[in-house]
Amino acid sequence: MTIRNPIHTTNYSLSTKICLFLLPFVVGVFVYALGDLFLESRRMVRQEAIERANCELENTVARVTGYLKEAETISRNTKWQVLDNLTADSLLSYTQRAVALNPNISGSSITMEPDIFPQQGHFFSVYSLRSSNTILNERDTEYSYYDNVWYKTVRNTGRAAWVDPYDDYNEGHLSSPEMLTSYCDPIYTDEGDFIGVITTDISLNWLSKVITQDMPYENSYCIMLGQEGHIFVHPDSTRLVHKTIFDDADPLTQPDIIAMGHEMMSQKKGYMQVDLDGEVCYVFYQPMVQTGWSIALVCKESDIFRRYNRLAFVLFPLLTAGLVLMFVLCRKIVAIFIKPLGHLERETRWIADGNFNFSLPHSNRSDVVGRLQNSFLAMQQSLSQHIRHLEDMNVEAELHNTELARANKIAEEATKRQTAFLQDVLHQIRTPLNIMMGFVQVLRDDYTIIPKEEMVEIVHTLQHNASTITRIVDMLMASSAIDGRKTIELDDDVTCIGVVTEAEKIFNERLPHMSDLQVETLVDDSLTVLTHKDYLMKILNELLYNAKKFTTNGWVKLKVQDNGDAVLFSVEDKGPGIAESYRQQIFTQFSKFNTFSEGLGLGLSISKQFARLLGGDLWLDTDYTLGARFVLEIPLKR
């Protein structure tokens, strides 16, 4: 069914139709321009958001780095005082002073190696902790601290370092109820002996407030990862410390989160667009080199483009109203300009009703309407001339009908040949199918009582008939694929010996085994040709197949020789040969000289076309009289 344009079939005025034709182009231009403007605006908004977020993140990292360096300075100053006056009674005053003079730290401790002060006991540690507006102090000689991360890490490495946040709560001893992160500085004597650790503690809650105090957007937030991906700062407190960024990420549906986590753990700087909790977010991350941590700023895409999206809701109604107004004004202007066409339409309607003798008046107007009216006048005058030529056209039509009848007869003959070919194809396929179905039924009903020798023969028969059907299908596919092809890619560099060996293997596997293949190679083993291997093998297999099919008593020979410019593959057999009267037709499609023999009459025709596509040729050697000999010529690579 033909789909018609509704503009042509609707009973609109001409001015309305013209406007409707123009409207899609106008809308297309407007949409393209507006879309380009919106895309560019979105890109600018996105770029501005990236710059703003990066700036905020850098400020945050700089601010946090400043606080961390302040804590490092406190530890170094305290260590200097300890080494200057290393007595058990003075250590507590050092930690108390450090906490009192620095409101940004939550605590400080000095923990000594066992038996540094034997008179004080085996262990010795002092700790000062800020609690509301007071400073709590403890001097502990029973607290075993060797396995604590803030002590063990520094003692093993011998270097000052920030440790990941940890829970320091220890019932019965002065300890912080909050999660802490500590800068741990080892204490060495002048002789280089390790004697203890000074820690300066920062509350994780206080650090989270410092990190999140300035956010670029309403719903933005920060996260901070430790060296092994543990989350230390996050709006969701259930994820803190005990979970890594990879724990809740599905590798199949959230590979972006996993990739971002590895980027942050690798101390890289950048940003990624990821899906967090079902919402698209831009995540900007930056490392804190001195700690091994990484801070990320998360900005939701909906926050970034909120004002931009509001603008779209305003512009689209304005655009629609503008297009409607433009359509109305355009229709009125067009109606004024085409009004004279109405008069011409009434005059030409007479001619449309069959009044060919009605003459339109000549117009003296020089505009398009006047030229159109005079054109209609010339058309009316030419109608009478065309009517006079109708009889001549009828005579010509009879001649064409005669030619059509002749062409129809040729087409009928072609149809008959096609029908005969199809019947032959069906017969060629049906016969082996019936044989196979019969043997399958025998195997199904009497499988257990069939002797082994008969079973082998049945299998061979099934294999032979399956190969016959496969070959028929391959021939039909090859004939269809090669039809109309003029060139192929000759990019296979193969050895002549390799091709002969492969063809010999296929010959020996093909049933029935009534003839042997003799191979004679008169070329070097290293001789190669640049060709299309698949097409070359199809030609050789077809020639060997025919030779084996028609040689029931004797041998088949495959000979390879080099004539200087090309390689000649010759296949000869001891069969009945080809009668001289048929030699001119053997390479013609669908030529079969024995209607009851296997095959479709396509093999030699397709092989010759393949040979020419390979740049060579295929011919019958008429000098050979003991059967049939076909020669395939393939040009050598020089």
Side-chain angles (χ1 to χ4, degrees):
M1 183 179 66
T2 302
I3 300 176
R4 297 182 177 180
N5 192 329
I7 296 179
H8 292 293
T9 57
T10 308
N11 189 20
Y12 291 147
S13 65
L14 180 59
S15 59
T16 303
K17 288 184 177 181
I18 293 175
C19 292
L20 289 176
F21 272 113
L22 292 176
L23 186 61
F25 299 99
V26 175
V27 171
V29 172
F30 267 75
V31 170
Y32 177 80
L34 189 62
D36 186 66
L37 176 62
F38 264 64
L39 289 177
E40 182 63 20
S41 300
R42 184 179 179 87
R43 187 193 66 78
M44 294 176 64
V45 170
R46 180 174 177 270
Q47 185 62 32
E48 180 183 358
I50 292 173
E51 294 175 358
R52 179 182 177 185
N54 278 325
C55 182
E56 291 290 347
L57 182 58
E58 289 179 358
N59 291 338
T60 300
V61 171
R63 184 169 58 252
V64 174
T65 301
Y67 288 130
L68 296 181
K69 288 184 177 179
E70 180 181 341
E72 294 173 6
T73 302
I74 294 170
S75 291
R76 285 193 293 269
N77 292 339
T78 304
K79 182 170 69 171
W80 174 79
Q81 294 174 348
V82 169
L83 292 175
D84 190 56
N85 184 21
L86 183 59
T87 61
D89 296 333
S90 61
L91 297 185
L92 189 59
S93 63
Y94 298 152
T95 59
Q96 183 178 8
R97 185 183 303 113
V99 176
L101 297 178
N102 298 279
N104 294 330
I105 67 173
S106 61
S108 177
S109 69
I110 302 176
T111 306
M112 307 304 292
E113 278 284 272
D115 299 321
I116 291 295
F117 302 114
Q119 66 278 14
Q120 302 294 333
H122 185 63
F123 301 109
F124 185 82
S125 173
V126 295
Y127 183 43
S128 297
L129 174 67
R130 188 186 307 280
S131 178
S132 298
N133 296 325
T134 62
I135 298 176
L136 304 178
N137 302 293
E138 181 181 68
R139 179 174 176 180
D140 198 340
T141 59
E142 299 179 357
Y143 179 31
S144 178
Y145 39 78
Y146 287 119
D147 293 330
N148 288 355
V149 63
W150 50 266
Y151 191 90
K152 180 172 61 176
T153 300
V154 177
R155 190 176 189 276
N156 292 338
T157 62
R159 296 192 303 270
W162 284 94
V163 296
D164 289 350
Y166 58 92
D167 185 1
D168 192 47
Y169 181 74
N170 189 5
E171 187 176 357
H173 298 274
L174 179 62
S175 55
S176 173
E178 300 178 352
M179 299 290 291
L180 298 177
T181 180
S182 299
Y183 180 74
C184 307
D185 198 351
I187 306 174
Y188 287 93
T189 63
D190 293 338
E191 291 77 18
D193 297 328
F194 176 79
I195 60 174
V197 174
I198 296 176
T199 65
T200 303
D201 305 332
I202 294 179
S203 167
L204 186 60
N205 289 337
W206 177 85
L207 186 60
S208 298
K209 293 177 182 178
V210 171
I211 292 175
T212 59
Q213 68 182 20
D214 292 324
M215 293 291 106
Y217 299 101
E218 179 181 355
N219 297 311
S220 298
Y221 59 90
C222 281
I223 61 176
M224 185 171 72
L225 301 184
Q227 299 177 14
E228 297 181 357
H230 286 88
I231 302 173
F232 299 148
V233 176
H234 196 282
D236 186 359
S237 59
T238 61
R239 301 185 182 184
L240 297 180
V241 179
H242 302 295
K243 283 192 175 182
T244 68
I245 193 173
F246 308 108
D247 288 345
D248 297 329
D250 187 350
L252 298 179
T253 60
Q254 297 174 306
D256 48 358
I257 296 179
I258 296 176
M260 182 187 70
H262 287 294
E263 288 280 304
M264 294 178 67
M265 290 177 60
S266 301
Q267 294 288 282
K268 293 183 179 180
K269 178 181 179 181
Y271 77 93
M272 294 182 65
Q273 183 177 339
V274 300
D275 188 335
L276 294 177
D277 300 325
E279 188 168 357
V280 178
C281 299
Y282 287 84
V283 181
F284 305 84
Y285 48 88
Q286 185 171 332
M288 297 182 64
V289 180
Q290 73 273 27
T291 63
W293 306 335
S294 184
I295 296 180
L297 174 60
V298 181
C299 299
K300 296 183 178 180
E301 187 179 58
S302 57
D303 286 348
I304 295 176
F305 296 105
R306 178 171 300 170
R307 297 178 62 185
Y308 173 83
N309 293 333
R310 290 176 181 172
L311 179 62
F313 287 109
V314 176
L315 288 181
F316 278 113
L318 291 178
L319 175 63
T320 303
L323 290 175
V324 172
L325 180 61
M326 183 182 296
F327 174 79
V328 174
L329 293 176
C330 181
R331 182 179 180 280
K332 290 185 177 295
I333 295 172
V334 172
I336 294 173
F337 279 100
I338 66 173
K339 185 176 181 181
L341 290 177
H343 301 291
L344 179 60
E345 185 271 336
R346 288 190 295 271
E347 295 172 351
T348 55
R349 191 180 302 167
W350 284 90
I351 298 176
D353 292 338
N355 300 314
F356 300 107
N357 294 326
F358 174 77
S359 295
L360 294 172
H362 185 273
S363 176
N364 296 322
R365 296 179 56 170
S366 59
D367 59 5
V368 66
V369 177
R371 294 195 299 271
L372 181 61
Q373 183 170 339
N374 292 333
S375 297
F376 271 105
L377 175 61
M379 181 185 67
Q380 187 270 336
Q381 293 173 352
S382 65
L383 280 176
S384 59
Q385 297 178 3
H386 286 296
I387 291 174
R388 287 196 299 267
H389 294 310
L390 284 177
E391 294 181 356
D392 296 336
M393 293 176 64
N394 288 335
V395 175
E396 293 179 1
E398 291 179 359
L399 294 176
H400 285 302
N401 289 337
T402 302
E403 294 177 359
L404 288 174
R406 187 182 301 112
N408 185 49
K409 183 177 180 181
I410 295 174
E412 289 179 354
E413 293 178 354
T415 302
K416 291 179 180 179
R417 289 197 299 272
Q418 181 181 12
T419 302
F421 171 72
L422 292 176
Q423 291 175 348
D424 189 22
V425 170
L426 293 176
H427 172 73
Q428 294 285 349
I429 295 177
R430 184 173 60 248
T431 300
L433 280 178
N434 289 337
I435 294 174
M436 294 171 68
M437 289 298 296
F439 279 116
V440 169
Q441 185 173 0
V442 170
L443 292 175
R444 183 192 63 187
D445 297 336
D446 303 316
Y447 177 80
T448 57
I449 63 175
I450 297 176
K452 182 177 180 180
E453 294 77 12
E454 293 185 14
M455 182 68 72
V456 172
E457 183 177 357
I458 290 173
V459 171
H460 287 172
T461 304
L462 290 174
Q463 182 180 2
H464 173 70
N465 285 277
S467 299
T468 301
I469 296 175
T470 302
R471 184 176 182 277
I472 293 173
V473 174
D474 289 342
M475 282 295 175
L476 293 174
M477 293 179 64
S479 177
S480 174
I482 201 175
D483 188 23
R485 297 195 65 175
K486 296 182 179 180
T487 60
I488 58 174
E489 295 292 334
L490 303 178
D491 51 7
D492 295 331
D493 195 3
V494 298
T495 62
C496 298
I497 300 302
V499 171
V500 170
T501 302
E502 186 173 346
E504 181 182 9
K505 179 182 178 182
I506 296 175
F507 179 93
N508 293 329
E509 292 175 352
R510 182 179 287 125
L511 298 175
H513 301 299
M514 300 177 64
S515 58
D516 296 325
L517 177 64
Q518 299 179 4
V519 178
E520 182 179 354
T521 58
L522 304 179
V523 297
D524 294 336
D525 292 348
S526 61
L527 182 64
T528 62
V529 291
L530 188 63
T531 184
H532 191 292
K533 181 182 178 183
D534 186 39
Y535 280 14
L536 177 58
M537 292 303 303
K538 286 182 182 295
I539 299 172
L540 291 177
N541 289 334
E542 177 62 23
L543 296 178
L544 292 171
Y545 174 85
N546 288 340
K548 188 170 188 177
K549 179 173 65 174
F550 291 108
T551 303
T552 57
N553 184 16
W555 46 260
V556 175
K557 177 183 287 188
L558 172 59
K559 183 178 180 181
V560 186
Q561 56 186 344
D562 180 0
N563 69 352
D565 296 325
V567 177
L568 301 180
F569 297 87
S570 62
V571 177
E572 59 185 52
D573 59 53
K574 294 290 186 177
I578 299 175
E580 185 175 355
S581 59
Y582 292 141
R583 292 177 181 177
Q584 298 298 326
Q585 306 175 34
I586 58 175
F587 295 110
T588 304
Q589 282 189 336
F590 313 125
S591 296
K592 290 183 61 177
F593 312 120
N594 184 355
T595 308
F596 301 99
S597 65
E598 293 183 359
L600 303 176
L602 291 174
L604 290 176
S605 171
I606 293 174
S607 296
K608 190 172 184 66
Q609 294 181 65
F610 281 166
R612 291 179 175 176
L613 287 174
L614 296 178
D617 201 357
L618 175 66
W619 66 84
L620 173 67
D621 187 358
T622 56
D623 296 332
Y624 182 77
T625 59
L626 299 180
R629 176 192 288 161
F630 287 88
V631 181
L632 170 63
E633 179 185 55
I634 301 297
L636 279 172
K637 178 182 67 173
R638 297 298 184 185

